[in-house]
């Protein structure tokens, strides 16, 4: 009996344990569902998936379809609610179960709950398989309820008491049931217009012309690790603001699942064996452990992590005034460094880690705005939005998350002097530069 593999944020064949599980049943019907909830408005009025991430997803799906077809498979792409689309496809193709990569955050878990109910109603079963994190959740050396609330304690326990599992190779064949052919994606422009959005326009100042898909992810890794060997200096350059190679730029591919964290870590190990092992090679994996940490925090705290006061119920309320918030979004605050970063975000869908920390701190601590508005704008704009990493970082900076130091904020003027001493970044993203660009 064939299985459905429901692709979600795992748009790859390499190191995809949920897909491997489906293949154990023989034939697999690979399906991606364009769920209208992902393009709906959130409570602050932002469409959840903005134009940059939608385009990246389209490119990722096109690449996935080619990779599946090269292995004898096909990719069905359907618009609708997964809890309606999946049971209907099960009946049509006589499938016994649905596999998918497990998610861990409230909105995604709610969809899983609805899908389980609908699939069971037609006599099928669901298997959610872990594949998103570097460390397998079963390999945590402590019960989830005892996950340390301080990152350093967590990292030390993981490094001492756990091991990252080996990534799985991509399957050689993904046989789909006879007569099944791939679907085309709807036109991107038409889809965006239906959701009240315009096509993104490429900006020559972008750190990278990000291209979705597992092939592009592999090419980026090849460039950053093997061709330029920038991995060997990552720790020295990672706080940069301008250019393609100050950091890995893996995040959009990781967030869409075009590459797995385990595959990246295994390539780091190979680099350490074949080229060089130093504090930079260590630090890239260290950052992937941060990514894991926020996932496990989301698993531990559930919906609480997404509440206004998140993990710190005694913290003060902050406002939701639209005027200063809109100025922040549009890069029209009193702070030139914040403005430059916000313009980069709205023109390209990306912002450096240094920039994100500064603009988040400025919104919450200088403008006194509720972190959830900023996180909502990031969700709309970012190519690499990930609910656990985004929320985990926002609540950390806002002082309602896992930062043990109370009331910490960034001095954005001082940060600009340290990280943009010559003003190169601020000039690149000044309104003047934007006007020249528009003309
Ligand atoms: C307010 C705020 C919001 C953020 N929102 C997101 C988000 O939605 N999605 C997202 O992937 N990252 C988010 N980050 C984390 C971080 O800024 C980005 O992961 C990083 O800038 C991506 O660039 P890179 O791939 O070149 O990172 P690199 O420096 O090359 O790091 C390698 C990888 O490690 C992981 N990583 C690095 N730093 C962090 C971190 N602080 N938290 C979690 N993972 C990390 C990412 O997967 C990244 O791709 C946020 C940070 C802040 C301060």
């Amino acid at each position: 009996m064939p299985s459905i593999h429901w692709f979600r944020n795992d748009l790859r064949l390499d190191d995809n344990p949920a897909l491997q599980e489906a293949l154990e049943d023989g034939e697999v019907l690979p399906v991606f569902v364009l769920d209208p909830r992902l393009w709906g408005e959130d409570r602050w009025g932002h469409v959840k998936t903005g134009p940059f991430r939608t385009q990246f997803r389209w490119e990722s799906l096109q690449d996935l379809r080619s990779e599946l077809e090269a292995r004898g498979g096909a990719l069905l792409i359907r618009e609708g609610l997964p809890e309606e689309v999946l049971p209907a496809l099960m009946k049509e193709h006589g499938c016994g179960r649905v596999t998918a990569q497990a998610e861990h955050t409230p909105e995604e878990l709610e969809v899983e709950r609805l899908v389980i109910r609908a699939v069971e109603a037609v006599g099928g079963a669901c298997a959610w398989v872990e594949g998103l994190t570097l460390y397998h959740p079963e390999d945590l050396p402590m019960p989830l309820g005892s996950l340390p609330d301080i990152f350093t304690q967590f990292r030390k326990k993981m490094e001492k008491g756990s091991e990252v599992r080996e990534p799985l190779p991509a399957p050689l064949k993904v046989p789909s049931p006879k007569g099944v052919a791939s679907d085309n994606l709807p036109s991107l422009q038409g889809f965006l217009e239906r959701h009240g959005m315009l096509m993104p326009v490429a900006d020559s100042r972008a750190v990278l012309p990000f291209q979705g898909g597992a092939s592009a992810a592999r090419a980026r890794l090849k460039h950053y690790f093997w061709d330029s060997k920038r991995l060997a200096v990552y720790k020295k350059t990672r706080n940069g603001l301008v250019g393609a190679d100050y950091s890995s730029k893996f995040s959009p591919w990781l967030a869409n699942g075009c590459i797995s964290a385990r595959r990246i870590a295994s390539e780091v190990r190979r680099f350490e064996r074949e080229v060089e092992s130093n504090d930079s090679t260590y630090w890239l994996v260290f950052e992937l452990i941060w990514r894991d940490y926020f996932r496990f925090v989301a698993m531990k705290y559930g919906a609480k992590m997404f509440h206004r006061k998140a993990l710190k119920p005694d913290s003060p309320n902050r406002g939701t005034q639209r005027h200063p918030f809109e100025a922040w979004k549009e890069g029209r605050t009193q702070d030139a460094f914040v403005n430059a970063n916000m313009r980069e975000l709205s023109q390209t869908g990306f912002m450096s880690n240094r920039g994100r920390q500064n603009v988040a701190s400025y919104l919450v601590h200088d403008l006194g705005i509720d972190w959830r508005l900023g996180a909502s704008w990031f969700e709309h704009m970012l190519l690499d939005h990930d609910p656990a990493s985004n929320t985990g970082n926002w609540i950390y900076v806002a002082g309602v998350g896992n930062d043990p130091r109370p009331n910490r904020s960034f001095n954005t003027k001082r940060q600009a002097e340290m990280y943009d001493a010559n003003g190169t970044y601020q000039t690149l993203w000044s309104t003047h530069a934007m006007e020249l660009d528009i003309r």
Side-chain angles (χ1 to χ4, degrees):
M1 205 180 237
S3 280
I4 288 184
H5 178 68
W6 172 30
F7 279 102
R8 302 169 84 191
N9 293 314
D10 59 328
L11 304 182
R12 63 175 182 277
L13 303 187
D14 177 58
D15 193 27
N16 190 328
L19 176 64
Q20 294 284 356
E21 167 121 8
L23 285 164
E24 283 169 19
D25 298 343
E27 289 177 334
V28 174
L29 194 65
V31 180
F32 185 84
V33 186
L34 295 165
D35 181 343
R37 285 175 286 228
L38 297 176
W39 284 272
E41 280 187 12
D42 68 10
R43 63 189 294 186
W44 313 108
H46 301 133
V47 174
K48 288 169 85 64
T49 310
F52 291 111
R53 200 162 67 257
T54 305
Q55 181 175 44
F56 193 91
R57 190 138 275 228
W58 252 234
E59 292 161 357
S60 302
L61 287 167
Q62 270 149 359
D63 190 61
L64 179 68
R65 191 175 75 178
S66 310
E67 296 213 329
L68 283 165
E69 287 173 350
R71 288 166 174 79
L75 179 62
L76 300 190
I77 298 170
R78 298 293 156 90
E79 274 188 81
L81 299 170
E83 62 271 28
E84 291 173 5
V85 171
L86 296 170
L89 284 172
M90 288 185 86
K91 284 209 267 184
E92 189 182 330
H93 295 277
C95 300
R97 61 174 188 155
V98 175
T99 64
Q101 177 172 279
E103 289 285 342
H104 318 94
T105 37
E107 289 175 3
E108 289 71 17
L109 291 175
E110 173 60 11
V111 176
E112 283 181 14
R113 202 181 57 77
L114 296 170
V115 169
I116 292 174
R117 209 168 54 192
V119 165
E120 286 180 352
V122 296
C126 295
W128 311 138
V129 183
E130 296 294 342
L132 195 151
T133 47
L134 178 64
Y135 288 100
H136 195 290
E138 281 169 12
D139 298 341
L140 277 176
M142 78 289 287
L144 194 56
S146 310
L147 183 86
D149 285 328
I150 295 173
F151 171 72
T152 309
Q153 292 173 7
F154 165 77
R155 176 182 56 77
K156 287 186 177 158
K157 282 190 191 313
M158 296 312 287
E159 287 172 343
K160 210 167 146 222
S162 192
E163 278 203 16
V164 176
R165 297 184 189 183
E166 281 302 309
L168 308 169
L172 297 174
K173 289 256 164 249
V174 184
S176 295
K178 246 197 164 67
V180 170
S182 292
D183 291 321
N184 286 323
L185 276 157
S187 117
L188 176 62
Q189 186 169 355
F191 185 88
L192 288 171
E193 279 169 7
R194 265 196 283 137
H195 293 87
M197 297 185 286
L198 296 174
M199 283 287 280
V201 179
D203 190 306
S204 58
R205 292 163 298 177
V207 287
L208 263 187
F210 285 103
Q211 165 89 27
S215 315
R218 284 194 294 273
R220 175 65 192 165
L221 187 145
K222 180 172 175 293
H223 167 79
Y224 192 71
F225 285 15
W226 303 105
D227 298 343
S228 71
K229 308 221 169 15
R230 294 289 294 210
L231 171 61
V233 292
Y234 166 70
K235 189 156 184 270
K236 294 193 190 78
T237 59
R238 59 178 284 274
N239 279 310
L241 299 163
V242 181
D245 290 342
Y246 61 79
S247 65
S248 74
K249 310 295 183 313
F250 289 152
S251 56
W253 290 289
L254 275 166
N256 286 273
C258 303
I259 192 165
S260 77
R262 295 197 303 202
R263 176 60 66 201
I264 294 173
S266 123
E267 287 289 295
V268 172
R269 299 287 166 250
R270 187 158 79 86
F271 187 91
E272 288 176 334
R273 285 194 305 276
E274 295 178 14
V275 183
E276 186 178 349
S277 172
N278 62 21
D279 54 354
S280 284
T281 57
Y282 168 77
W283 213 264
L284 195 91
V285 179
F286 175 102
E287 293 299 340
L288 292 175
I289 301 177
W290 265 111
R291 175 175 177 271
D292 265 24
Y293 183 56
F294 289 131
R295 270 281 141 181
F296 294 130
V297 169
M299 290 185 209
K300 176 177 174 182
Y301 286 104
K304 190 175 174 192
M305 184 184 183
F306 296 80
H307 290 165
R308 185 206 291 240
K309 296 188 183 182
L311 315 186
K312 301 277 163 68
D314 299 330
S315 56
N317 276 343
R318 296 192 197 275
T320 53
Q321 311 89 296
R322 293 309 289 210
H323 174 66
F325 174 60
E326 296 299 328
W328 175 84
K329 270 165 62 171
E330 290 163 19
R332 291 187 288 101
T333 73
Q334 303 291 312
D335 189 300
F337 186 52
V338 169
N339 294 346
N341 277 288
M342 294 307 295
R343 290 191 201 115
E344 181 187 7
L345 178 66
S346 55
Q347 297 296 305
T348 70
F350 192 81
M351 189 196 294
S352 69
N353 186 56
R354 185 57 38 192
R356 295 183 204 199
Q357 290 177 317
N358 274 277
V359 302
S361 174
Y362 187 83
L363 183 76
V364 174
H365 300 294
D366 294 66
L367 300 179
I369 305 279
D370 187 328
W371 66 269
R372 293 173 302 168
L373 276 81
S376 155
W377 182 241
F378 268 32
E379 173 165 4
H380 173 73
M381 288 306 311
L382 281 175
L383 280 163
D384 65 22
H385 173 259
D386 169 287
S389 288
N390 192 40
T391 305
N393 276 288
W394 269 97
I395 63 176
Y396 188 98
V397 175
V400 295
N402 300 88
D403 189 349
R405 295 156 293 189
N407 307 321
R408 198 165 71 106
S409 63
F410 282 76
N411 178 337
T412 51
K413 298 269 179 303
R414 174 101 189 85
Q415 289 271 312
E417 284 160 18
M418 281 168 68
Y419 296 101
D420 189 29
N422 303 326
T424 313
Y425 177 73
Q426 288 165 84
T427 305
L428 185 66
W429 291 104
S430 66
T431 36
H432 180 60
M434 309 246 312
E435 277 156 19
L436 288 179
D437 201 55
I438 288 160
R439 273 184 234 127

